[in-house]
Amino acid sequence: MFAFQSFYMKYLLIVFSIVLLLSCNRQTRNNDDSKSNMDSSISMNNILTENNPYRIRDSIKRFAIIPKLNLNAKLKIFKSLIDSLQNCYISNEVNQYVEIDKYNYLIIKYIQNIVENHSIVPEILAKDPIKLVRSPDQKVGVYTWDEHAGSTMSSNINILVYRTSDNKMKTIHLEWINRNIEHLTYAGVVKKIYLLSSKKDERIYMIQAEGSTCSNCYFSSMIGFSISYNNLNLKYPLFGNSSDYLFESRDSSLIEFNYNSKIKEFSVSYMVENRSLDTASENIYSISEKWIFNGEKFVLYPFED
């Protein structure tokens, strides 16, 4: 079994390496290539530059190819990738976090390929350290695991999986940061998924997540989205005019979140600090809010004890 897994692991990495080399060579060997090829070459060079902290993940996202194998073979490679990732956690190598980044993004690519191209029970891919959180109607789930980026921030990888009206499975990586964006609400570990509304033509959901941006910086977030027929809308304005809601505190024990599923209402309480630039003093005060779902979105109401 080990020899079989090793074979496919080596095969995958060889394919990935060849793809990168061929991409580089194909895009640079002919000075008379069309403008599109020149643009691709510039793009590739930008991706692989040492100044790009996301060069590993960018390369895998754009150029790594999943071999055309049957489901069982893919699952064996997937398992070997997870084993390699976990070995990286305890590694003392200088490039430890580069390797972790590589395996994380190969795993992301495999999850998306397997879910979208094979009929499987999603729990099959929920192997430690990956957890799967499902919605009450079982039509939505999120694969979530620690990114292990090596920083003081505890960020997570989250892959949203959802079922369309024609019973197909789709995925999207809720990538919280890259060269273009930083979306902190996507960085938390997913705790629960709530189904808020289920109609023939639209379903509305809310994801509850939490995380930390430093050793004593904590946040909780809610992510709203809708699915209409086959269309996922991550910009659904669930909270007033915003698709997400985030609050931060310096003490996790001072964050309270309560959700009443019967009346679809949640309340939050948390402590924040206001530092005065004039006096360098700190004022710590409490914020309490109540949000009630009106059938389409949450509306902010006065908080009553």
Side-chain angles (χ1 to χ4, degrees):
M1 179 66 71
F2 178 77
F4 186 69
Q5 291 177 347
S6 298
F7 168 77
Y8 276 110
M9 186 62 204
K10 290 178 181 177
Y11 177 64
L12 169 66
L13 295 178
I14 290 172
V15 169
F16 175 52
S17 300
I18 292 174
V19 167
L20 290 182
L21 288 173
L22 289 179
S23 298
C24 292
N25 291 337
R26 182 171 59 250
Q27 294 164 0
T28 58
R29 66 188 176 190
N30 189 345
N31 293 331
D32 296 326
D33 281 346
S34 65
K35 184 179 183 301
S36 62
N37 282 343
M38 290 175 63
D39 291 342
S40 297
S41 177
I42 293 172
S43 176
M44 184 66 181
N45 290 336
N46 288 339
I47 285 176
L48 295 179
T49 177
E50 291 292 328
N51 294 327
N52 175 16
Y54 309 109
R55 61 187 179 278
I56 299 298
R57 59 183 67 178
D58 285 351
S59 298
I60 292 172
K61 284 189 295 184
R62 294 193 58 179
F63 302 109
I65 297 175
I66 303 294
K68 292 183 178 180
L69 303 170
N70 62 38
L71 175 60
N72 286 335
K74 288 182 181 178
L75 289 175
K76 286 181 170 64
I77 296 176
F78 176 73
K79 175 62 167 58
S80 69
L81 288 170
I82 291 179
D83 291 342
S84 297
L85 175 65
Q86 291 181 312
N87 287 334
C88 287
Y89 292 162
I90 58 176
S91 171
N92 293 321
E93 297 293 331
V94 175
N95 62 344
Q96 175 189 15
Y97 296 108
V98 172
E99 291 294 296
I100 288 174
D101 214 27
K102 176 181 72 177
Y103 287 117
N104 274 335
Y105 275 76
L106 285 171
I107 288 170
I108 291 169
K109 197 136 192 171
Y110 259 82
I111 287 177
Q112 294 188 290
N113 179 278
I114 291 173
V115 169
E116 294 189 355
N117 294 286
H118 300 276
S119 297
I120 64 163
V121 178
E123 280 80 2
I124 289 177
L125 302 181
K127 300 180 181 297
D128 191 49
I130 301 171
K131 294 180 174 58
L132 176 64
V133 181
R134 305 279 309 256
S135 62
D137 63 356
Q138 302 296 297
K139 293 182 178 180
V140 167
V142 176
Y143 293 104
T144 182
W145 71 96
D146 193 329
E147 190 174 26
H148 274 84
S151 67
T152 56
M153 177 176 175
S154 178
S155 55
N156 289 269
I157 291 174
N158 293 304
I159 303 174
L160 178 64
V161 184
Y162 61 98
R163 191 178 298 278
T164 62
S165 59
D166 54 0
N167 212 34
K168 293 181 180 179
M169 298 296 290
K170 300 262 186 182
T171 66
I172 184 169
H173 176 202
L174 302 177
E175 189 172 29
W176 79 272
I177 190 170
N178 57 39
R179 289 189 293 171
N180 301 313
I181 64 167
E182 181 174 338
H183 201 136
L184 187 58
T185 51
Y186 288 175
V189 56
V190 172
K191 307 302 290 185
K192 203 159 186 178
I193 304 174
Y194 302 96
L195 173 62
L196 301 174
S197 174
S198 180
K199 302 176 183 178
K200 182 179 179 180
D201 59 342
E202 184 181 58
R203 305 191 307 273
I204 304 173
Y205 296 89
M206 177 176 72
I207 295 174
Q208 177 199 357
E210 59 185 40
S212 62
T213 54
C214 66
S215 58
N216 61 342
C217 314
Y218 304 92
F219 71 88
S220 288
S221 66
M222 269 67 74
I223 304 165
F225 64 95
S226 67
I227 300 174
S228 301
Y229 296 106
N230 297 332
N231 299 316
L232 171 70
N233 182 10
L234 286 173
K235 295 184 178 181
Y236 183 85
L238 186 59
F239 309 96
N241 295 320
S242 177
S243 62
D244 50 35
Y245 174 77
L246 180 143
F247 54 96
E248 300 177 78
S249 179
R250 301 290 264 175
D251 188 338
S252 61
S253 66
L254 299 178
I255 294 178
E256 291 186 10
F257 171 86
N258 295 292
Y259 180 77
N260 187 323
S261 59
K262 292 183 179 179
I263 59 176
K264 296 176 183 176
E265 167 188 316
F266 73 84
S267 61
V268 297
S269 297
Y270 55 99
M271 303 293 292
V272 296
E273 60 182 33
N274 182 23
R275 183 184 295 273
S276 172
L277 295 178
D278 295 332
T279 63
S281 62
E282 291 183 355
N283 296 318
I284 300 177
Y285 58 97
S286 173
I287 292 180
S288 297
E289 296 178 345
K290 180 172 68 174
W291 295 78
I292 299 177
F293 186 68
N294 66 4
E296 294 183 353
K297 62 176 63 180
F298 280 102
V299 178
L300 181 61
Y301 283 80
F303 189 88
E304 298 176 2
D305 292 329

